[in-house]
Amino acid sequence: GDSVTQMEGPVTLSEEAFLTINCTYTATGYPSLFWYVQYPGEGLQLLLKATKADDKGSNKGFEATYRKETTSFHLEKGSVQVSDSAVYFCALLYNQGGKLIFGQGTELSVKP
Amino acid sequence: GAGVSQSPSNKVTEKGKDVELRCDPISGHTALYWYRQSLGQGLEFLIYFQGNSAPDKSGLPSDRFSAERTGGSVSTLTIQRTQQEDSAVYLCASSLNGGLREKLFFGSGTQLSVL
């Protein structure tokens, strides 16, 4: 069945370091791919998305490119800030009903 | 309201008791979803309501779990005879029409602890 696998956390970085959180998926057909972020004490919110192969989603300095050949959607940011500390979830859209399949989440902690 | 509202924010219960979790979606949103986030498990789809259509219950883990959506707005997720493995954060989300590219808006969740 469809699934999403993320790199294990927690990830601890110093401020201004480069961030990569790996995400790979298995799916039938061509799903849309998403990154969601959950800041401490807050609800989940959409960070970025890509709806077809080779699309690049970007928001708040974060980027991810939909790679069909490697079935990946890795999240990157060139220079992280303390305020980026959160849990990041990779997800794919299972069907038209918006039934998302999520990865297990990766906790990011950025130290000053 | 301005966003998706869930209550209570925290619930501690004893094993074997029933619990009810409430979700108030964004006004006018016809699609409503329940997800569960267990420690180390990631987010798990539970159930999906779209307008007056029969709900998609394919993610409910057992018959102890049920959900209703009255009047196409507020939804209640009920867990009967709670077990310790039910401990998780239960998240509700809504979208305008449940369309393929629509943004989901999530509530802050209900942290359920079963002792």
Side-chain angles (χ1 to χ4, degrees):
Chain A
D2 297 354
S3 66
V4 176
T5 302
Q6 293 179 230
M7 64 187 288
E8 293 272 343
V11 174
T12 303
L13 295 174
S14 298
E15 209 164 19
E16 299 184 3
F18 184 87
L19 168 72
T20 300
I21 300 179
N22 289 338
C23 170
T24 57
Y25 67 91
T26 58
T28 54
Y30 305 102
S32 294
L33 300 173
F34 303 80
W35 276 100
Y36 282 83
V37 58
Q38 187 173 22
Y39 297 103
E42 298 184 16
L44 209 63
Q45 55 186 281
L46 179 65
L47 180 61
L48 54 84
K49 68 178 181 182
T51 58
K52 61 183 189 297
D54 299 326
D55 268 2
K56 178 186 284 188
S58 60
N59 185 24
K60 300 182 181 180
F62 290 88
E63 291 183 340
T65 301
Y66 188 158
R67 302 281 188 204
K68 188 161 70 83
E69 63 277 13
T70 54
T71 61
S72 65
F73 193 54
H74 303 323
L75 182 68
E76 296 182 337
K77 186 174 185 182
S79 176
V80 293
Q81 305 301 312
V82 172
S83 57
D84 294 327
S85 298
V87 181
Y88 293 81
F89 292 90
C90 185
L92 68 82
L93 189 63
Y94 183 64
N95 62 21
Q96 187 165 345
K99 190 165 74 176
L100 292 166
I101 306 295
F102 286 90
Q104 74 272 34
T106 302
E107 182 181 356
L108 171 65
S109 178
V110 180
K111 307 296 184 187
Chain B
V4 177
S5 177
Q6 290 187 245
S7 61
S9 54
N10 281 285
K11 176 72 177 177
V12 180
T13 190
E14 293 178 352
K15 178 181 171 182
K17 296 282 180 67
D18 297 352
V19 295
E20 284 189 351
L21 313 180
R22 178 188 166 105
C23 172
D24 230 313
I26 292 173
S27 179
H29 280 194
T30 62
L32 186 148
Y33 313 78
W34 282 98
Y35 289 86
R36 176 169 70 172
Q37 182 181 334
S38 303
L39 191 63
Q41 296 281 339
L43 280 162
E44 175 187 13
F45 167 79
L46 298 177
I47 188 169
Y48 161 57
F49 295 91
Q50 172 55 57
N52 295 322
S53 303
D56 177 354
K57 304 180 182 180
S58 60
L60 294 178
S62 78
D63 59 9
R64 295 187 295 106
F65 287 72
S66 62
E68 290 185 338
R69 189 177 185 196
T70 52
S73 180
V74 172
S75 176
T76 302
L77 177 69
T78 301
I79 309 173
Q80 295 178 306
R81 305 181 302 282
T82 52
Q83 303 295 313
Q84 288 183 331
E85 62 262 27
D86 299 334
S87 297
V89 175
Y90 289 82
L91 285 164
C92 177
S94 71
S95 70
L96 190 59
N97 294 307
L100 186 66
R101 289 182 168 77
E102 284 184 7
K103 182 175 178 179
L104 288 185
F105 294 82
F106 284 82
S108 295
T110 295
Q111 172 81 59
L112 174 66
S113 301
V114 182
L115 305 179

